[in-house]
Amino acid sequence: MMILLFSLGNVEALYTIGVVLAGVILYVITKVVRTGNQKRQDTQEQFNRVVEQLSKDNETAQLSAAIILRRFFTAVIDRNRFRQETINVISSMLKIHPTGIYQKTLGDGLAYAGNLNYADLQRTNMQDLYLGKKNEKDDALEKKGKAPKTDKDDSWKITMDFTDMYGANLSYALVENIIGFGTIFNSAIFNHTNIKNCTFRKADFKYSDLTNVYFENVILEGSDFKGAKGIPKEMIKHLKWINQGTKDEAYIYEGSDVFIMDKSKKKGGGHKMVFFSMPGTLTASEEALTLYYKKILEGKGIEAIIYKRDHYPKDSQLTKVKESILQSDAMIAFGLKQIEIKSGRLNPDKKEIEEGVWLPTPWNEIEVGMGVMANLPILLVRDDKIEIGVFDKVISEYQIKSLSSATPLENIEANDEFKKWIAMFTNEKYEIEITDEIKELADRLAEHAHNTLAKEKISLDWSNGEVHDDVQMHHQDHVSYKDLSEEEKKLDREIYIKTLKSILEMGFRIEK
């Protein structure tokens, strides 16, 4: 009987303990759930504010938001959802924004995603972007002129399984260190694109434009190139028709070996030629201008193709022009005053012209159009009075640079637009010098962004702690910027240095 009573006493004690424990567990669960929900709500509100900034007319606000947006790739709560939403936002922006610093800052942010599997990047403007991830060890070896070490660990690379890039424009982009299965590049544009150290198995390159593409250490096993334009000659021997003549026919890359193109085919290799689009008749000063450009190019070992009126054949004139342009590596179009309209209308719906309007030679329109079709880098040397057709200031194409004909001759080679144009088809590099002033500005921007974010987190009841704890809402970096470790400061600074460098590369000036 005593044993039975003792057992019943234990049961009562255990029951009491159980009730207490259940209460504690319920409290903890409730607190965790409430804290998790609050964090989820806080993160969503922050995300919404950043997206709102992206759509503002203020370029500074847009650029800042484009950089801050990258932080949501590593969101603590609902990381996969915010990563996908961030990709969707960047994709939608790249569909509508022209080539420029904002487009480049947004697009470069995709490298922070890590995983782009199944992402919808259809018809995005990815010109001049860096899509990939640097292997710092291999990068250092390459700079020393040494071959990178073979590393079987690909876990650090970006993945693009079944990523949809239908119709995307990747002209002049660098695609590096990416692994993709079934990636869709159907109808994409790869004009002067460098694809390096990538693996694209069973990728869809059908009807893509591969004019002047350069493949370096790329695996293309099972990829389909049916209908692709500008397929490199070295690749042809690896391609085989499957089910030819049927609706399921494909032009498949056979073999799992790494594909490497002849480096002389890369930008800058071999003899270079530049087509001059210019009027048939020139004033003495205009002729001196064109001859000076010719002299600059010849000093760099580049041949100028000047197609004058007396070169015209009796027939097939346009075909002759087309052949000359297709043989060229780049083009200079001189938009000089040829036709003056003193009165009249530009079209029936416009009011009468109040002042004289100057037009360039109509051949500029034809030849620049051919140059664009041939994917040539084009330099527009424009009289300041010419603002129509291809010389309209609203034209925004990465491969087209513009320079005033009034630029002093001795300043042409030092001009940023000229240097960017020449670097697009030669071995010359266009580098922006990172001055101490730029570094100081980057540090101030990093400090402002960090302190602003830290204050916002603290206002949401986050506090500083030695260990990152989502439940207790502690974070080791919720301190003033000046109290961060030098390593943390360096990471923040580098983001803004890259952004400021991109701003300068796009031709903007940064002044106090």
Side-chain angles (χ1 to χ4, degrees):
M1 179 65 71
M2 286 189 64
I3 294 175
L4 180 60
L5 288 173
F6 182 76
S7 298
L8 286 173
N10 282 349
V11 169
E12 290 178 0
L14 288 173
Y15 175 77
T16 303
I17 293 171
V19 170
V20 173
L21 282 176
V24 171
I25 291 169
L26 183 60
Y27 170 78
V28 170
I29 291 174
T30 303
K31 182 173 175 59
V32 168
V33 170
R34 186 179 294 123
T35 304
N37 288 338
Q38 185 61 49
K39 278 198 63 182
R40 188 174 290 106
Q41 183 180 338
D42 294 343
T43 306
Q44 185 66 59
E45 288 175 359
Q46 292 170 19
F47 183 81
N48 293 342
R49 283 198 293 273
V50 171
V51 173
E52 185 180 348
Q53 288 289 105
L54 290 172
S55 58
K56 288 187 178 294
D57 292 333
N58 186 300
E59 191 172 51
T60 304
Q62 288 180 328
L63 289 173
S64 298
I67 294 169
I68 294 172
L69 186 66
R70 300 171 183 178
R71 298 177 182 232
F72 291 95
F73 283 128
T74 54
V76 176
I77 290 286
D78 287 349
R79 178 172 298 182
N80 287 335
R81 181 171 71 84
F82 279 108
R83 179 182 59 79
Q84 190 58 54
E85 285 192 21
T86 303
I87 292 171
N88 291 341
V89 169
I90 293 176
S91 176
S92 64
M93 292 292 182
L94 291 177
K95 285 177 168 66
I96 59 175
H97 282 281
T99 305
I101 177 60
Y102 182 45
Q103 165 259 356
K104 183 170 171 56
T105 305
L106 275 168
D108 286 348
L110 289 172
Y112 293 81
N115 173 356
L116 290 171
N117 296 341
Y118 298 94
D120 178 6
L121 297 171
Q122 289 188 44
R123 300 189 183 280
T124 47
N125 177 10
M126 306 190 77
Q127 296 182 77
D128 192 36
L129 297 187
Y130 176 69
L131 182 60
K133 196 170 184 180
K134 287 285 185 185
N135 182 339
E136 293 181 4
K137 291 181 180 178
D138 284 356
D139 203 35
L141 288 170
E142 195 171 302
K143 286 178 180 177
K144 294 178 182 178
K146 299 179 180 179
K149 295 179 180 178
T150 54
D151 187 356
K152 292 184 179 179
D153 180 19
D154 289 332
S155 60
W156 58 275
K157 294 185 178 181
I158 291 177
T159 57
M160 289 180 59
D161 292 349
F162 302 102
T163 304
D164 192 349
M165 300 190 72
Y166 176 89
N169 189 344
L170 292 110
S171 297
Y172 295 92
L174 171 57
V175 180
E176 183 179 29
N177 293 321
I178 290 178
I179 299 176
F181 183 89
T183 313
I184 300 169
F185 293 116
N186 193 306
S187 302
I189 302 172
F190 293 94
N191 175 27
H192 289 278
T193 306
N194 188 355
I195 303 176
K196 180 180 179 183
N197 302 330
C198 294
T199 298
F200 289 117
R201 287 189 167 91
K202 298 204 174 207
D204 178 1
F205 285 92
K206 295 196 296 288
Y207 308 106
S208 60
D209 185 350
L210 300 172
T211 305
N212 297 316
V213 71
Y214 183 76
F215 290 98
E216 183 178 353
N217 300 323
V218 181
I219 294 174
L220 296 163
E221 182 181 8
S223 294
D224 189 354
F225 290 85
K226 176 186 175 182
K229 171 187 173 186
I231 296 175
K233 290 181 180 179
E234 301 99 315
M235 184 183 287
I236 300 294
K237 63 183 179 183
H238 298 284
L239 299 175
K240 182 178 179 181
W241 282 103
I242 307 295
N243 298 325
Q244 191 169 11
T246 70
K247 65 178 182 179
D248 297 321
E249 71 176 4
Y251 202 26
I252 300 297
Y253 187 100
E254 290 194 324
S256 58
D257 293 339
V258 172
F259 178 58
I260 305 174
M261 288 178 62
D262 183 352
K263 286 198 174 182
S264 67
K265 300 293 193 304
K266 196 175 181 180
K267 180 190 75 169
H271 177 65
K272 297 295 177 185
M273 296 186 290
V274 173
F275 183 90
F276 276 35
S277 172
M278 52 194 263
T281 56
L282 300 167
T283 64
S285 61
E286 290 170 346
E287 186 166 8
L289 175 69
T290 59
L291 288 175
Y292 195 84
Y293 274 92
K294 182 173 181 286
K295 180 182 176 182
I296 291 174
L297 294 177
E298 288 175 345
K300 299 176 181 293
I302 300 170
E303 179 185 353
I305 299 178
I306 300 177
Y307 192 57
K308 294 185 177 180
R309 189 180 296 275
D310 55 2
H311 294 162
Y312 289 12
K314 291 183 179 180
D315 53 27
S316 304
Q317 294 89 348
L318 291 174
T319 300
K320 176 66 176 175
V321 172
K322 182 185 75 171
E323 289 173 353
S324 298
I325 290 173
L326 290 176
Q327 291 171 5
S328 303
D329 299 282
M331 175 185 290
I332 299 180
F334 294 90
L336 305 174
K337 291 187 282 191
Q338 289 289 293
I339 304 167
E340 183 182 14
I341 302 176
K342 291 188 174 180
S343 65
R345 296 175 185 271
L346 285 175
N347 65 55
D349 297 325
K350 293 281 186 180
K351 66 178 182 179
E352 290 189 5
I353 298 169
E354 296 177 359
E355 297 179 3
V357 172
W358 281 97
L359 304 178
T361 172
W363 281 97
N364 284 147
E365 304 290 336
I366 296 169
E367 290 162 352
V368 170
M370 290 182 176
V372 171
M373 291 293 289
N375 293 314
L376 298 185
I378 299 171
L379 179 66
L380 302 177
V381 180
R382 179 180 61 81
D383 187 289
D384 293 336
K385 293 288 185 181
I386 304 292
E387 297 183 357
I388 197 167
V390 297
F391 298 100
D392 194 317
K393 290 180 180 179
V394 301
I395 297 293
S396 174
E397 295 282 343
Y398 178 73
Q399 73 196 74
I400 298 178
K401 307 302 176 187
S402 183
L403 194 61
S404 170
S405 63
T407 302
L409 300 181
E410 65 273 15
N411 295 343
I412 291 173
E413 283 192 85
N415 184 278
D416 279 342
E417 288 289 281
F418 181 84
K419 289 194 291 186
K420 284 186 276 190
W421 171 74
I422 205 84
M424 292 171 80
F425 65 98
T426 69
N427 284 323
E428 293 190 23
K429 291 186 177 180
Y430 176 67
E431 291 288 345
I432 289 290
E433 181 185 359
I434 303 301
T435 62
D436 290 338
E437 289 80 7
I438 295 298
K439 290 177 182 177
E440 181 187 352
L441 177 57
D443 192 57
R444 290 175 64 183
L445 288 169
E447 180 177 9
H448 176 73
H450 173 85
N451 288 343
T452 301
L453 186 63
K455 286 178 182 177
E456 188 172 331
K457 284 283 193 178
I458 290 170
S459 71
L460 297 172
D461 294 330
W462 279 77
S463 60
N464 188 51
E466 293 184 4
V467 180
H468 185 173
D469 189 327
D470 292 334
V471 176
Q472 298 298 322
M473 299 176 75
H474 295 322
H475 197 290
Q476 65 272 24
D477 289 341
H478 288 165
V479 295
S480 174
Y481 181 78
K482 63 183 178 61
D483 295 326
L484 288 175
S485 68
E486 192 54 40
E487 186 67 25
E488 289 292 334
K489 289 181 182 177
K490 182 182 177 182
L491 290 173
D492 286 348
R493 271 197 304 265
E494 284 179 351
I495 292 175
Y496 287 97
I497 285 176
K498 288 179 181 178
T499 301
L500 292 171
K501 185 177 179 182
S502 296
I503 291 172
L504 292 170
E505 285 177 348
M506 297 304 297
F508 292 91
R509 289 183 299 175
I510 299 174
E511 298 178 353
K512 262 190 174 181

